[in-house]
Amino acid sequence: MNKSHLILLFTIAIGYSQAPNISYITPTSFALNSNNNLAPTNTGGEVQAGRIVTTFAGSGTMGAADGVGTEASFNLPTVVTLDSQQNIYVVDRSNNKIRKITPTGTVTTVAGTGDFGSTDGLALEATFFYPDGAVVDSQDNLFVSDQSNHTIRKITPDGWVTTFAGTGNYGDVDGPGATAQFYYPAGMAIDTNDILYVADYGNHKIRKITPDGIVSTLAGTGEMGAANGTTETAQFNGPTGVGVDSQGTVFVADYYNHSIRKITTSGQVTTLAGNGTIGHDDGMGENARFYNPAIVAVDADDNLFISDEQNNKIRKITTNGEVSTYAGSGALGDIDGLADQAQFNLLTGVVVDAAHNVYACDYGNHKIKKINDYGYSISPALPEGLSFDTATGIISGTPTSSSDAISYTITATNPFGISVFEVSIAIGNLANSSFHTSPMVLYPNPSQDSLTIENSVSMDDISIINTLGQTVLHFTSTPAIFQFSTVSLPKGCYILKTILGSKVDVNTFIKK
């Protein structure tokens, strides 16, 4: 590792060692037709705007240890998928296990003894044989492509494993699950009707499985090739990943064709991006280049995210077909930090959660990486003449019309958490409100067992918000002097948001 990388890592470790803790002077009044400037105070971790890669889980050493974050270990993880609670499921391929990571980073084993086999039954007594892909249906059933068993396995939320489709012998047979056959099934996707789509790698086909287990061929002749056309005449070459968008269009990571293919609901197969030539160029459609694209993930806006395995990059394809590099310098390594400088070691699985966080299996590094855009944001939009700097959180400009006080929610994020502050801004005048004439007092702060709020008037609403932006306590119609217990709160920094009518006040306190 060179000196510049060491400096980068040291800077990130120091600056991001905690969540931000921002505040603004509020209420405040901006002068009409004059230049104004309002900057935040941040007593927490540094907010550096930009896309950042961090290690979400995995020590980097081969292993099967459960634990929190980097205390846990994996052995060549291949695919990540999400359930309805935003838990991440990891196909831990060479451990022959299925692992679960909670949103807070706790890793547990949910299925698999670690031995090779095909045993159904209780999840922690079941066995797998190099599992490869996974997806979750609307009922939180987890489906796993048990690749070297040539089957699709099902894991129920109550921890029971069954064989959903496939005889266990390799082949190419459609029909009921118990008689159907696959040949090294790989990545999977699921649509809104709980229909499974399987990249049948060895058969060079895309297979389809209904909720009652009927298997059919969606596309592919079974011959290696790159031909576009109808689903009956199109060809693939070792497809490894599939994704499906909100319209039911299926996208295929055509691994050895180095391209992303598209299967429309009308039964036409085309090449969306890449032209079969190895490379790493960004650009529109077939002008872009890939090198063994492995998995396709689709976000809520129907953008595609591709794990470009041999390029050590995550690529993004917009709905109009523009390909860009989302993360990764292209160099092989294990470096977190700014996305365009980050390094990976053979990226396989990728998934996007409801908050637009991207998670990727860094296969050769035995880690799960997290990629997100950090900085400042504001809601609602500022009036004409004022601007908001997403890098610094500064509100500035020359407003051209007066207005009464409006509350704006400002959010600051870094890899360690989130800070939310509401600032009230009037233009040209500052409305009087008894809510703000006397400062609110919180004591004791830091708090151990309880916290008392003293205000000049009673309050309509009080919310206690943690650094992840989650409301952990909530009270309504409270008196001007109000005490509540903090015993149930874990140690840390909290936001106290109080509302009276249209007025909002935000303070912070520490639970020790």
Side-chain angles (χ1 to χ4, degrees), residues 1-6 9 334-335:
M1 185 181 295
N2 64 38
K3 186 180 292 184
S4 64
H5 289 148
L6 286 171
L9 290 172
D334 183 12
I335 294 179

Side-chain angles (χ1 to χ4, degrees), residues 75-76 78 91-97 115-117 127-133 144-150 184-185 363:
N75 190 357
L76 301 175
T78 53
V91 178
D92 197 359
R93 179 178 174 84
S94 290
N95 278 326
N96 293 301
K97 291 183 175 184
D115 294 330
F116 293 104
T127 55
F128 301 87
F129 191 2
Y130 289 135
D132 191 73
V144 176
S145 55
D146 196 358
Q147 191 168 66
S148 291
N149 277 323
H150 311 289
Y184 294 121
Y363 180 81

Side-chain angles (χ1 to χ4, degrees), residues 208-505:
K208 177 179 174 180
I209 312 177
T210 62
D212 57 355
I214 303 300
V215 179
S216 60
T217 297
L218 176 69
T221 65
E223 297 292 327
M224 252 187 286
N228 289 320
T230 66
T231 52
E232 293 82 9
T233 61
Q235 296 174 329
F236 302 91
N237 190 357
T240 52
V242 282
V244 59
D245 71 8
S246 62
Q247 304 303 308
T249 303
V250 175
F251 300 91
V252 180
D254 200 354
Y255 192 80
Y256 292 114
N257 280 327
H258 313 291
S259 60
I260 306 302
R261 313 287 290 282
K262 177 179 177 180
I263 307 172
T264 67
T265 54
S266 61
Q268 293 296 311
V269 179
T270 58
T271 299
L272 175 69
N275 72 349
T277 303
I278 291 172
H280 56 82
D281 296 346
D282 291 332
M284 290 297 297
E286 294 187 16
N287 293 322
R289 300 288 183 269
F290 300 87
Y291 191 179
N292 294 146
I295 293 293
V296 180
V298 185
D299 73 6
D301 300 315
D302 284 342
N303 298 298
L304 307 184
F305 289 80
I306 313 297
S307 53
D308 195 358
E309 186 177 295
Q310 296 292 331
N311 277 325
N312 296 300
K313 291 182 177 183
I314 299 293
R315 313 288 289 281
K316 179 180 178 180
I317 308 178
T318 62
T319 53
N320 67 354
E322 183 177 0
V323 180
S324 61
T325 297
Y326 192 77
S329 67
L332 188 148
D334 183 12
I335 294 179
D336 292 345
L338 296 174
D340 60 355
Q341 299 174 30
Q343 294 181 4
F344 306 97
N345 185 359
L346 302 179
L347 285 165
T348 51
V350 62
V351 72
V352 187
D353 73 9
H356 301 287
N357 299 301
V358 175
Y359 297 90
C361 287
D362 196 352
Y363 180 81
N365 286 322
H366 315 289
K367 291 181 176 182
I368 307 303
K369 297 294 184 78
K370 179 179 179 180
I371 309 159
N372 198 13
D373 292 321
Y374 299 100
Y376 289 89
S377 62
I378 189 169
S379 181
L382 291 165
E384 185 176 353
L386 291 177
S387 63
F388 183 76
D389 190 326
T390 57
T392 65
I394 293 174
I395 301 171
S396 62
T398 305
T400 56
S401 59
S402 61
S403 70
D404 291 334
I406 297 175
S407 290
Y408 296 92
T409 300
I410 299 174
T411 303
T413 57
N414 70 13
F416 285 84
I418 184 172
S419 178
V420 179
F421 193 89
E422 296 211 22
V423 58
S424 178
I425 301 175
I427 299 174
N429 66 303
L430 184 59
N432 291 324
S433 170
S434 61
F435 192 46
H436 296 292
T437 54
S438 300
M440 182 177 293
V441 178
L442 309 179
Y443 63 87
N445 190 7
S447 164
Q448 184 167 348
D449 299 316
S450 66
L451 186 73
T452 299
I453 307 170
E454 284 194 9
N455 193 36
S456 55
V457 293
S458 60
M459 294 158 280
D460 293 338
D461 188 277
I462 296 175
S463 297
I464 309 301
I465 303 167
N466 65 18
T467 55
L468 296 175
Q470 300 165 327
T471 298
V472 293
L473 293 174
H474 182 241
F475 309 98
T476 58
S477 302
T478 60
I481 301 176
F482 177 66
Q483 184 183 68
F484 63 92
S485 172
T486 59
V487 171
S488 64
L489 298 179
K491 295 177 182 179
C493 181
Y494 292 85
I495 297 165
L496 186 145
K497 174 181 169 183
T498 51
I499 298 176
L500 176 61
S502 62
K503 305 300 180 184
V504 178
D505 205 2

